[in-house]
Amino acid sequence: MLAKAHDLANVDKMMYIHLQAFLNRNIKAEKKIGKKSKPVFDKFNKFFDYEKAVNDVMNKSKKSEETKPKFSGLGDLLKKGGK
C-alpha cells in the first residue's frame, strides 16, 4: 500500500512538472500586431488573477457550509424502517 501511495505521489509530481511546462509556454505567447509581436499577457494579473482564485475558494467553502449534505435525511428514513 505504501508503494502505491509513493507511485501516486510521483504521478502528482509529474503532473505539476507538466503543468509548469505548459504555463511556461503560455506565458511566452505572443500575438502579431502588424509586423511586430506583442506579448499576450503584458501583466501577471491577466495571466493569473490571484484575488479571484482566492475568492472562488472562499465562496466555495461558504456554499459547502451552507448547504445540507446530500443524504442528510437518509439516517431518519432508515430509523423509521423505510416508511
Side-chain angles (χ1 to χ4, degrees):
M1 189 176 267
L2 289 175
K4 187 180 275 190
H6 184 277
D7 290 343
L8 289 172
N10 284 338
V11 170
D12 285 344
K13 287 178 187 177
M14 288 179 3
M15 191 267 309
Y16 288 121
I17 290 168
H18 284 82
L19 176 62
Q20 183 64 48
F22 178 76
L23 293 175
N24 285 341
R25 182 186 65 107
N26 280 353
I27 199 67
K28 293 179 182 179
E30 293 186 342
K31 59 183 173 184
K32 286 207 172 210
I33 299 177
K35 294 183 180 181
K36 296 183 179 182
S37 293
K38 178 182 173 187
V40 174
F41 305 106
D42 56 347
K43 294 182 181 178
F44 182 74
N45 288 343
K46 289 184 179 180
F47 184 69
F48 179 72
D49 190 351
Y50 176 78
E51 292 165 0
K52 181 183 180 301
V54 169
N55 288 336
D56 289 346
V57 169
M58 296 304 288
N59 289 336
K60 183 177 179 182
S61 65
K62 285 181 185 177
K63 286 181 183 177
S64 64
E65 291 173 1
E66 294 171 359
T67 59
K68 286 177 36 175
K70 192 173 191 177
F71 301 107
S72 62
L74 188 60
D76 296 334
L77 182 65
L78 291 174
K79 288 178 186 175
K80 292 180 183 177
K83 297 179 181 180

